[in-house]
Every structure is written in C-alpha cells, then in structure tokens.
Amino acid sequence: MEWLQSLGLLGLFIGAFLAATVLPFSSDALYLGILAATGNPLGCLIVGTLGNWLGSVFTFWIGWIGKWEWIEKWFKVKPETLQKQKVKIDKYGVWLALTCWVPVIGDVIAIALGFYKTRPFWTIVLMLIGKLARFFVWNLLYGLI
C-alpha cells in the first residue's frame, strides 16, 4: 500500500507543478483528493508545496526570458500598456509573489514578475511562503472536517 501512497504523492507533485504554470486548473481539488486518499498531511504539504512552487518558479523564468518586442508583435500589446503594467508591478514589487498561489491570476502574476524583472531571490522566496501557507491552511481545514 505504501507504493500507492508514493504514487499519489508523485501525482500531486506533477499536478501541482502543472497547475502553477499556464495550464488552467487549480491544484486545490487535487491536493484535497490526495490528502484524503493518503491521509498524509505532512507529505502532501511538502510535495504539494514543492510542486506548486517549482511550477511558479518555472513560470517566473518564462516571463524573465520574455521580450517586450515579442509581446508587442505577437500579442499586439501597445508599449504604453506594458509601461502601465510595469508601474503597477514596480509599486508592489516582490511582495506580489505572495499572491502567486491564487488560482488563475497567480500564474499571470508569476509571469509578470519575471517579465518585469523583479529581484529573483526574494520573488522566489516569497512565492514559496505563499504556496506553503496555502497548503498549510488546507491541512488545517481538512483537519476540522
């Protein structure tokens, strides 16, 4: 039976990673399902956090390698629009990384933080804190059920 639990945690890692990229699904239902199936809150907390965090780091990196010219050309975004967004990102800076756990918009925030070149170390650390807090809260709520 332990191999089944390991398989579930592997699935959680892969699913949490993919959910933190630009794929449009939330890892919350997956997390709760694996948590219920395995009964392993610590394992799920560690694996879910790592998978989701590394997915956001990957998304941040994708944004980092992006170029203004590409966005203007392929997505027809005006330079003025990009500049307005940059002002918003600069206003809150790396602290926005704490919100990368939010479904759907978190992925956009992660890619924007990379695109607008926020400080990588603190951005990545704050992403980790936000992801850990999210799954920790799920563990607490699950324990109340």
Side-chain angles (χ1 to χ4, degrees), residues 61-127:
W61 176 76
I62 289 172
W64 190 275
I65 64 171
K67 305 256 187 276
W68 286 55
E69 301 82 37
W70 298 349
I71 303 297
E72 292 170 16
K73 179 180 176 183
W74 294 339
F75 297 104
K76 307 294 185 215
V77 178
K78 296 177 184 174
E80 302 82 41
T81 303
L82 291 173
Q83 191 58 44
K84 283 182 193 175
Q85 292 171 349
K86 181 168 178 18
V87 168
K88 289 179 184 175
I89 295 292
D90 287 346
K91 180 178 180 181
Y92 300 104
V94 297
W95 294 105
L96 282 170
L98 287 170
T99 64
C100 286
W101 66 268
V102 178
V104 182
I105 67 164
D107 304 337
V108 174
I109 292 169
I111 209 161
L113 291 170
F115 184 73
Y116 293 114
K117 309 286 192 270
T118 59
R119 293 174 293 174
F121 177 79
W122 287 112
T123 300
I124 290 169
V125 167
L126 291 171
M127 280 180 185

